[in-house]
Amino acid sequence: MFAKLGFQAATDEEGLGFAACDDLDYEYRQGMQMDILSTDGAGGESDGAGGGDGAVEGDSHYQRDSAGHPPSTSKDGGVCNELAAHDKPKITAWEAGWNVTNAIQGMFVLGLPYAILHGGYLGLFLIIFAAVVCCYTGKILIACLYEENEDGEMVRVRDSYVDIANACCTPRFPSLGGHVVNVAQIIELVMTCILYVVVSGNLMYNSFPNLPVSQKAWSIIATAALLPCAFLKNLKAVSKFSLLCTLAHFVINILVIAYCLSRARDWAWDKVKFYIDVKKFPISIGIIVFSYTSQIFLPSLEGNMQKPSEFHCMMNWTHIAACILKGLFALVAYLTWADETKEVITDNLPSTIRAVVNIFLVAKALLSYPLPFFAAVEVLEKSLFQDGGRAIFPDCYGGDGRLKSWGLGLRCGLVVFTLLMAIFVPHFALLMGLTGSLTGAGLCFLLPSLFHLRLLWRKLLWHQVFFDVAIFVIGGICSISGFIHSMEGLIEAFKYNIQD
């Protein structure tokens, strides 16, 4: 939401802060669009069927299969030319871990106490369980990028989530998997943008309840500030604010926890239930899953690490840290307000400090919005307007690489669409649960386990097969139930005009 907040994702969230260096922003963006640019001299001109002639020194370059996807041809302000002109600096395991941390510990942790409200101790268990499963599926997703050559060496023959999906559907439907992943990715990115607008309106409305301005009006004001996103050619300038956004978010979390600790004497331990709200708990599952989504940009991130062999270790400590921090934050916040816990936990703070905290959060949300928005735009443009001769619509870029006026209009239309959705569906937790159930579970649970079984079936041990099948079944049940109950919650909210 860290794509996803500050995503995504990218991806996610999804609040992704690629502030370690400006080039990291490009890595995130390419990862979210599932079409990573190949680096110079990394074996792009492989002659052999296994790409063995393209091997390069070092741990960060891989042999490429001759059937691999060509570099992206996006005309986005010359970004591709700039990236192809020089070797991009590789990132360390710590920098990669920082990006994953940003992806899974963004603003959407503000909805976790609400998940504890309806799930009790089982909700805490799910925070741990989701961390373990998402860590595992992230690893097996990366494993699907590699195949063993004739010498018994593991070589990287795929570059992205889309490549993996297409490989699974070959030979009958060679592009079906990629289309499925792209659709899921676009839904998640756009929903992340909508959530940013929703949370901005919600926070401002609850910060200044005495002003004659409704939540919908605050959402319109926030969107007006976001319209310049339609003119973005790259995220280089935006990425400079990512680190400040992330640091501000951690400071806000500390402030919330400090206030909760000051009321430790009043904590309502008896309110933490061992039973669940059968109707609303599936929504909590979606909220928890959505807060961990980072798989869509992991292939790009791993491919640009100086030592990809450290990827597994990096995934372990980032998810352990996320699990501990999320669990403590959710539990402490719920103990403080118990049954009064709101969908966005900062709305429970006293008015004296709520306004200050919320203003910082709104600033973070607005600065985070361009990341998933731009990633969604690139996926749409590449799929519908720039897919060679297979594009459905004419290219939205002119011969000089400039965006055409109607292309700019479509971008503005996407911004307005996120506003309209935020106005008509202003329910943060329900939208977050719906997105997590619909696309989060699919991208984090279902597809990685399915692809792992499909591509590496003959090499898997029995316990790996068991884990993959169990994750697929559990993920499918959680996804379906969460989607159904989130839709029921939204219908009920509309029917009875329930406000957040």
Side-chain angles (χ1 to χ4, degrees):
M1 186 330 350
F2 217 163
K4 280 130 302 74
L5 287 189
F7 48 327
Q8 135 116 22
T11 240
D12 358 30
E13 2 196 221
E14 180 251 339
L16 293 176
F18 287 94
C21 66
D22 289 334
D23 285 334
L24 291 180
D25 162 66
Y26 298 130
E27 306 308 329
Y28 164 76
R29 182 163 52 79
Q30 296 300 342
M32 296 295 282
Q33 93 179 35
M34 297 295 102
D35 187 25
I36 185 173
L37 293 172
S38 60
T39 57
D40 291 345
E45 299 293 331
S46 299
D47 295 325
D53 296 337
V56 184
E57 287 184 0
D59 190 20
S60 59
H61 290 78
Y62 305 91
Q63 295 168 273
R64 301 292 180 180
D65 185 77
S66 59
H69 290 256
S72 172
T73 56
S74 173
K75 300 178 182 179
D76 179 32
V79 170
C80 294
N81 295 333
E82 178 184 346
L83 291 177
H86 57 83
D87 289 331
K88 295 173 288 184
K90 298 297 179 179
I91 60 176
T92 65
W94 284 102
E95 290 172 324
W98 175 255
N99 294 326
V100 173
T101 298
N102 285 340
I104 61 180
Q105 301 210 109
M107 285 181 60
F108 294 147
V109 299
L110 299 176
L112 292 181
Y114 186 77
I116 304 299
L117 172 65
H118 298 298
Y121 286 110
L122 186 55
L124 287 174
F125 169 77
L126 278 177
I127 291 176
I128 300 173
F129 178 77
V132 173
V133 173
C134 288
C135 181
Y136 173 76
T137 56
K139 293 176 182 178
I140 63 175
L141 184 67
I142 296 303
C144 293
L145 298 174
Y146 292 84
E147 288 185 4
E148 190 175 305
N149 64 8
E150 296 177 353
D151 298 327
E153 299 175 346
M154 299 303 296
V155 294
R156 200 174 201 258
V157 298
R158 304 178 186 94
D159 285 330
S160 66
Y161 211 142
V162 166
D163 289 347
I164 296 172
N166 286 333
C168 290
C169 296
T170 302
R172 292 187 177 182
F173 308 100
S175 61
L176 175 62
H179 292 323
V180 172
V181 170
N182 275 334
V183 169
Q185 175 186 312
I186 290 171
I187 292 174
E188 178 153 324
L189 291 170
V190 173
M191 289 298 292
T192 299
C193 293
I194 294 170
L195 284 169
Y196 279 130
V197 179
V198 170
V199 77
S200 296
N202 178 287
L203 291 172
M204 292 302 294
Y205 176 74
N206 287 283
S207 298
F208 306 100
N210 295 326
L211 291 180
V213 183
S214 65
Q215 179 175 331
K216 294 180 179 179
W218 280 119
S219 296
I220 294 174
I221 294 172
T223 306
L226 295 172
L227 275 176
C229 291
F231 297 89
L232 284 176
K233 290 185 176 181
N234 59 67
L235 296 178
K236 188 173 183 179
V238 177
S239 66
K240 295 180 179 179
F241 297 98
S242 299
L243 181 59
L244 292 177
C245 289
T246 304
L247 292 176
H249 181 61
F250 277 110
V251 170
I252 290 169
N253 283 348
I254 292 173
L255 290 176
V256 174
I257 292 177
Y259 176 81
C260 294
L261 292 176
S262 69
R263 295 183 53 188
R265 293 182 179 180
D266 301 324
W267 282 358
W269 286 98
D270 58 313
K271 296 291 186 178
V272 186
K273 305 177 291 290
F274 282 98
Y275 60 91
I276 63 174
D277 185 331
V278 177
K279 185 176 182 180
K280 294 186 177 180
F281 181 66
I283 301 174
S284 301
I285 297 176
I287 293 173
I288 293 171
V289 170
F290 187 65
S291 71
Y292 278 108
T293 53
S294 65
Q295 272 73 0
I296 51 180
F297 73 90
L298 288 181
S300 174
L301 197 64
E302 188 266 354
N304 287 275
M305 291 177 63
Q306 292 176 1
K307 297 180 179 180
S309 58
E310 297 179 349
F311 177 82
H312 281 207
C313 180
M314 179 273 295
M315 288 291 288
N316 289 337
W317 64 259
T318 52
H319 283 74
I320 289 173
C323 173
I324 294 173
L325 293 175
K326 287 181 178 182
L328 288 176
F329 180 84
L331 178 61
V332 168
Y334 175 73
L335 289 174
T336 303
W337 289 287
D339 293 339
E340 301 299 323
T341 299
K342 297 184 179 180
E343 293 189 9
V344 182
I345 195 60
T346 55
D347 290 342
N348 287 105
L349 292 170
S351 57
T352 52
I353 63 174
R354 184 197 312 158
V356 176
V357 172
N358 284 356
I359 287 175
F360 275 101
L361 284 172
V362 170
K364 176 175 171 56
L366 296 181
L367 290 173
S368 300
Y369 180 97
L371 288 165
F373 173 81
F374 194 65
V377 165
E378 285 220 322
V379 174
L380 288 170
E381 288 180 350
K382 186 177 184 302
S383 302
L384 302 179
F385 302 96
Q386 298 174 357
D387 195 14
R390 298 175 296 175
I392 300 176
F393 303 103
D395 201 334
C396 55
Y397 288 90
D400 56 356
R402 294 184 178 182
L403 186 65
K404 295 179 181 178
S405 56
W406 63 269
L408 178 61
L410 290 177
R411 288 189 175 198
C412 293
L414 183 58
V415 177
V416 175
F417 173 76
T418 61
L419 168 64
L420 294 176
M421 286 294 293
I423 288 177
F424 290 107
V425 193
H427 301 280
F428 179 77
L430 291 174
L431 281 177
M432 188 174 170
L434 177 65
T435 307
S437 300
L438 183 62
T439 61
L443 293 171
C444 293
F445 291 1
L446 304 180
L447 294 183
S449 57
L450 182 63
F451 294 164
H452 195 226
L453 289 170
R454 173 69 174 83
L455 294 176
L456 303 175
W457 171 261
R458 295 182 179 180
K459 300 179 181 180
L460 297 180
L461 301 176
W462 71 267
H463 68 273
Q464 293 175 310
V465 174
F466 174 78
F467 289 154
D468 289 347
V469 173
I471 290 172
F472 185 85
V473 173
I474 294 174
I477 294 173
C478 292
S479 177
I480 294 173
S481 63
F483 176 78
I484 293 175
H485 286 86
S486 294
M487 289 300 298
E488 289 179 349
L490 288 173
I491 293 173
E492 182 179 344
F494 278 108
K495 183 177 181 180
Y496 298 103
N497 195 27
I498 300 174
Q499 299 297 321
D500 287 348

